[in-house]
Amino acid sequence: MNRINQVIILGAGNLATQLAIALNDAGVDILQIYSRTKESASALAQRVNANPVTELNKIQKNADLYIFALSDKALQPVLDQLAIPIGNVVHTAGSIPMDVFENYSENYGVFYPLQTFSKNRKVDFSKIPICIEANSEYFQEDLFQLGERISDNLHEINSEQRKQLHLSAVFTCNFANHMYSIGQKLLAQKEVDFDLLKPLIEETAAKVQEMDPVSAQTGPAVRFDEEIMTKHENELKDIPDFQKLYRFVSESIFKMHSNKK
Amino acid sequence: MNRINQVIILGAGNLATQLAIALNDAGVDILQIYSRTKESASALAQRVNANPVTELNKIQKNADLYIFALSDKALQPVLDQLAIPIGNVVHTAGSIPMDVFENYSENYGVFYPLQTFSKNRKVDFSKIPICIEANSEYFQEDLFQLGERISDNLHEINSEQRKQLHLSAVFTCNFANHMYSIGQKLLAQKEVDFDLLKPLIEETAAKVQEMDPVSAQTGPAVRFDEEIMTKHENELKDIPDFQKLYRFVSESIFKMHSNKK
């Protein structure tokens, strides 16, 4: 039998939204959604049949779990303002250690879904790795039980490892996505549709599902083809930032491959 | 009726390999595979029922099309050494203008499949954009007809646009893939499995199939969260290259988003 059935979510951002939807779809009862702004609280509350709250003192005391899905900056002030003993708590942040809760609660932990979320893009939660950490075995079991209801991909990950996962995710997600943005911007200059790059983007990501990314690398930098690289840098002369980035990433690729050999 | 039925492919690298396989699968007759090294020529020739050749003077004169799928550096010397009038020719390179063939052939063009290829990873060619350019309408029609046999995604792209596509592809494919490699390297330091990043990589690429990459951006840089970024930079202090890259790409993301607003 599930020990966590009724939860309260603090936060209404991208992650809070998608997590709330997944939990609600799995039959978990979401009592309240807290957000500082009424619009955000109401918008999400409505989607998951919960009550919106904008004041911390209106948060109910009887939930089985309080999920803090707030920005890193907001978490500590909210904890301080709550100023009441709260029950079982988790946060959902990659780079905050678990013991931020040490002085606030008896059972605490982390429930970190490693994915990029947008408010209006539904994701298949079942494949999302959820990184779980807890201050007791008993509570950890609770969190695994809750996780199993929405994902088949649960992992016990300590704070140190989670911090590194978050950092790695910035590179593999945010920075990779920025490379897409640059590609789009460059194509727009010559009136070429970004659609032409989409199969390439898809295949590049698909490749490393099976291959090691270092072995999957192709292009001028991995063979340090100075001629093409110089051409490319010249083409980028009007956008010095992209030009600098081009040289810098190319050298980094070449260095990684030289080390491999 | 197809006007191109028998082709000869010069080159046996990643692109040559996958293109030869796709053409062969589509029923195009591949007469010969040329490569300087016997091993490469034979390996590919065997896969597509062709004859391997390692000497340029052994190349048959009767093919309907000669596909130069050589490295950018090798193309010019091979053209010079051929020193005979050759029939219909195309190259498959992103950054070489079509008129490299001007003094060598009457009908010439470009047949550039925009994708990342590895020798032993079969790709679904039907979705790959093939960028076609030709020096006459008649020959362009031939190339479109050939292209249609292997892909549903053909485009008429001039040399200037193709050059920009190639540059954009370096960012969206090679550089994005390097971000995956960095993620993997960072995780290995803490003994975390790269598998945990795979759903994130997949979703990041899937997102921009539907969303604009600038709108899809998430993470600390887009909100210029100095606190997390400084933490991350500190964690990277032992790898100065990654540290520098982190700051540089973060600033580039922030700049792009400030311009958007």
Side-chain angles (χ1 to χ4, degrees), chain A:
Chain A
M1 220 196 84
N2 297 315
R3 290 192 296 247
I4 297 175
N5 295 299
Q6 300 190 311
V7 308
I8 288 175
I9 295 179
L10 296 92
N14 296 344
L15 189 154
T17 298
Q18 296 304 330
L19 179 59
I21 291 170
L23 289 171
N24 183 56
D25 285 353
V28 176
D29 190 6
I30 302 178
L31 302 175
Q32 294 177 313
I33 298 288
Y34 163 82
S35 171
R36 265 188 323 175
T37 62
K38 195 161 172 51
E39 292 76 8
S40 306
S42 298
L44 179 52
Q46 206 166 18
R47 290 174 78 170
V48 297
N49 260 319
N51 291 313
V53 271
T54 56
E55 285 162 79
L56 290 168
N57 60 16
K58 297 274 167 64
I59 290 175
Q60 289 174 220
K61 313 277 182 291
N62 60 335
D64 299 327
L65 181 69
Y66 295 80
I67 300 176
F68 290 77
L70 299 161
S71 75
D72 291 14
K73 272 179 234 173
L75 178 61
Q76 191 67 56
V78 165
L79 281 177
D80 290 334
Q81 284 165 60
L82 271 171
I84 44 152
I86 39 174
N88 300 329
V89 296
V90 289
H91 70 68
T92 57
S95 50
I96 297 177
M98 171 173 76
D99 56 20
V100 66
F101 289 123
E102 207 172 18
N103 302 319
Y104 299 90
S105 185
E106 204 172 322
N107 297 312
Y108 54 87
V110 180
F111 195 86
Y112 171 53
L114 181 53
Q115 190 50 284
T116 169
F117 297 105
S118 294
K119 274 186 191 169
N120 292 313
R121 180 175 162 84
K122 197 160 178 172
V123 284
D124 175 7
F125 234 94
S126 70
K127 292 176 188 166
I128 296 178
I130 301 182
C131 305
I132 292 174
E133 187 180 11
N135 74 326
S136 74
E137 268 182 47
Y138 183 85
F139 189 49
Q140 180 168 301
E141 216 175 88
D142 285 354
L143 295 180
F144 267 86
Q145 223 171 49
L146 179 71
E148 274 164 17
R149 296 174 71 175
I150 56 173
S151 169
D152 305 323
N153 198 358
L154 308 181
H155 299 266
E156 192 185 332
I157 295 284
N158 66 36
S159 292
E160 188 65 20
Q161 292 173 317
R162 192 176 60 254
K163 203 168 67 176
Q164 194 81 346
L165 268 167
H166 184 240
L167 175 60
S168 306
V170 169
F171 280 94
T172 53
C173 168
N174 308 149
F175 289 4
N177 185 74
H178 188 54
M179 302 302 137
Y180 307 159
S181 302
I182 292 175
Q184 185 190 40
K185 202 170 168 177
L186 292 173
L187 288 191
Q189 288 183 334
K190 305 283 176 187
E191 288 169 0
V192 179
D193 199 328
F194 181 61
D195 280 355
L196 265 86
L197 288 178
K198 289 180 180 176
L200 178 66
I201 287 172
E202 207 170 21
E203 169 67 5
T204 305
K207 236 174 155 175
V208 298
Q209 305 295 315
E210 289 159 29
M211 286 173 84
D212 169 72
V214 176
S215 317
Q217 190 59 278
T218 56
V222 66
R223 50 181 195 269
F224 216 72
D225 185 333
E226 268 290 359
E227 207 177 308
I228 293 195
M229 291 197 296
T230 306
K231 266 194 207 174
H232 282 165
E233 282 176 278
N234 288 337
E235 287 163 31
L236 292 168
K237 64 180 184 306
D238 297 333
I239 319 177
D241 271 8
F242 292 176
Q243 193 183 44
K244 211 169 127 190
L245 195 64
Y246 185 93
R247 169 61 47 177
F248 198 73
V249 179
S250 294
E251 279 171 3
S252 178
I253 290 173
F254 185 69
K255 217 178 279 179
M256 194 177 276
H257 282 261
S258 316
N259 290 341
K260 194 191 65 170
K261 281 162 199 167

Side-chain angles (χ1 to χ4, degrees), chain B residues 29-214:
Chain B
D29 190 6
I30 302 179
L31 302 176
Q32 294 178 312
I33 298 288
Y34 163 82
S35 170
R36 265 187 322 172
T37 63
K38 194 160 169 53
E39 292 76 7
S40 306
S42 299
L44 179 52
Q46 206 166 18
R47 290 173 79 169
V48 296
N49 260 316
N51 291 314
V53 270
T54 57
E55 285 161 79
L56 290 169
N57 59 15
K58 297 274 167 64
I59 291 176
Q60 290 175 221
K61 313 277 182 288
N62 61 335
D64 299 327
L65 182 69
Y66 295 80
I67 300 176
F68 290 78
L70 300 161
S71 75
D72 291 14
K73 272 179 236 175
L75 179 60
Q76 191 67 55
V78 164
L79 282 177
D80 290 333
Q81 284 166 61
L82 271 172
I84 44 153
I86 38 173
N88 301 329
V89 296
V90 289
H91 72 65
T92 57
S95 49
I96 297 178
M98 173 174 72
D99 56 21
V100 66
F101 289 124
E102 208 173 13
N103 301 320
Y104 299 89
S105 185
E106 203 173 325
N107 297 312
Y108 54 87
V110 180
F111 195 86
Y112 171 52
L114 180 54
Q115 191 49 283
T116 168
F117 297 104
S118 294
K119 275 187 193 170
N120 293 312
R121 180 175 163 83
K122 196 159 178 172
V123 284
D124 175 5
F125 234 94
S126 70
K127 291 177 190 165
I128 297 178
I130 302 182
C131 305
I132 291 174
E133 188 180 10
N135 74 326
S136 73
E137 267 183 46
Y138 184 85
F139 188 49
Q140 181 169 301
E141 215 175 87
D142 285 355
L143 296 179
F144 267 86
Q145 223 171 48
L146 180 71
E148 272 164 19
R149 296 173 73 175
I150 56 175
S151 169
D152 306 323
N153 199 357
L154 308 181
H155 300 267
E156 191 186 334
I157 295 284
N158 66 37
S159 291
E160 187 65 23
Q161 291 173 319
R162 192 178 58 255
K163 205 168 66 176
Q164 195 81 344
L165 267 166
H166 184 240
L167 175 60
S168 306
V170 168
F171 280 94
T172 52
C173 168
N174 306 150
F175 290 4
N177 185 73
H178 189 55
M179 301 302 136
Y180 306 159
S181 301
I182 292 175
Q184 184 190 39
K185 200 168 169 179
L186 292 173
L187 287 192
Q189 288 182 335
K190 304 284 175 185
E191 288 170 0
V192 179
D193 199 326
F194 181 60
D195 280 355
L196 266 86
L197 288 179
K198 289 181 179 174
L200 178 65
I201 287 171
E202 207 170 22
E203 168 68 5
T204 305
K207 236 173 155 175
V208 297
Q209 306 293 317
E210 289 159 30
M211 285 174 85
D212 168 73
V214 176

